Amino acid sequence: MSRALIAILRGITPAEAAPVAAALIDAGIDRIEVPLNSPDPLDSIAVMVQSFGQDALIGAGTVLTRQDVAHVAGVGGRLIVSPNFDAEVIAATKAARMQSFPGVLTPSECFAALKAGADGLKIFPSHLMGIDGLKALRAVLPVGTQVYVVGGVGPKNFADWIAASADGFGLGTGIYTPGLSVADVAARAAEIVAAYDEAVA
């Protein structure tokens, strides 16, 4: 089962990429993004794709330009996540046959992103919209829209967000920060997966 959880590995290095990805996949998280403001992010993505590209959806976060999309595609990434809505980035992502999850917060941004071809929406920062805001937004979004919430979400409030119609979650510092051991990441991932499974049961 592929869970609707995206691990955001901001700050990861190429040397850590394979062992951390292995720990996440073993724990049950098979969607991984490396933000492009990490050290040598394309190298990290390439390492993960070479090792686990058949087992996981791997790509980049903090993708801001068409050139960024091209670079990620060049190393085999299949997922593009942005902190913002940019129609050109979405178009380039879909032209490269990758999945597009732009960052949005307002109804106007949500509908513009969907019109531009986004595969789903990344509500960011989700604590600004809040659970009541998501409930209100869902009432007008097209049926079937994939909504991921990022920022201020974690095991303690998965159930509340799911009840408000969130489809999935992006998890950053709650799962990885620079300096954490692979064992620490594995333990955090296991806790997150257990909480998610309980929330969706």
Side-chain angles (χ1 to χ4, degrees):
M1 177 182 75
S2 181
R3 295 171 178 85
L5 300 169
I6 300 174
I8 304 168
L9 306 181
R10 190 177 309 278
I12 198 166
T13 64
E16 300 172 278
V20 168
L24 292 171
I25 294 167
D26 287 346
I29 297 175
D30 63 359
R31 305 177 192 198
I32 302 170
E33 73 165 83
V34 177
L36 292 184
N37 56 0
S38 302
D40 303 310
L42 296 173
D43 292 342
S44 292
I45 294 168
V47 167
M48 292 182 188
V49 168
Q50 289 162 14
S51 299
F52 306 108
Q54 298 302 312
D55 304 312
L57 177 64
I58 297 165
T62 318
V63 178
L64 303 177
T65 68
R66 297 176 68 96
Q67 291 76 19
D68 288 342
V69 174
H71 292 152
V72 175
V75 296
R78 296 188 293 129
L79 172 68
I80 296 293
V81 183
S82 300
N84 64 320
F85 160 64
D86 186 312
E88 289 189 357
V89 169
I90 295 172
T93 301
K94 298 315 298 175
R97 298 183 178 181
M98 294 191 287
Q99 291 193 29
S100 169
F101 281 81
V104 293
L105 190 59
T106 67
S108 293
E109 289 176 335
C110 291
F111 280 93
L114 293 172
K115 184 177 181 180
D119 293 282
L121 304 174
K122 167 190 169 180
I123 304 298
F124 175 78
S126 60
H127 65 272
L128 290 182
M129 176 177 288
I131 288 171
D132 287 342
L134 177 58
K135 289 178 181 177
L137 178 65
R138 180 64 82 175
V140 297
L141 287 176
V143 174
T145 299
Q146 289 291 298
V147 175
Y148 279 64
V149 292
V150 181
V153 298
K156 293 180 180 179
N157 58 16
F158 281 161
D160 293 335
W161 281 104
I162 289 170
S165 80
D167 294 296
F169 304 91
L171 301 146
T173 57
I175 199 165
Y176 173 85
T177 55
L180 276 184
S181 69
V182 174
D184 288 337
V185 174
R188 290 184 176 198
E191 178 188 354
I192 285 166
V193 166
Y196 175 84
D197 287 352
E198 182 178 351
V200 299

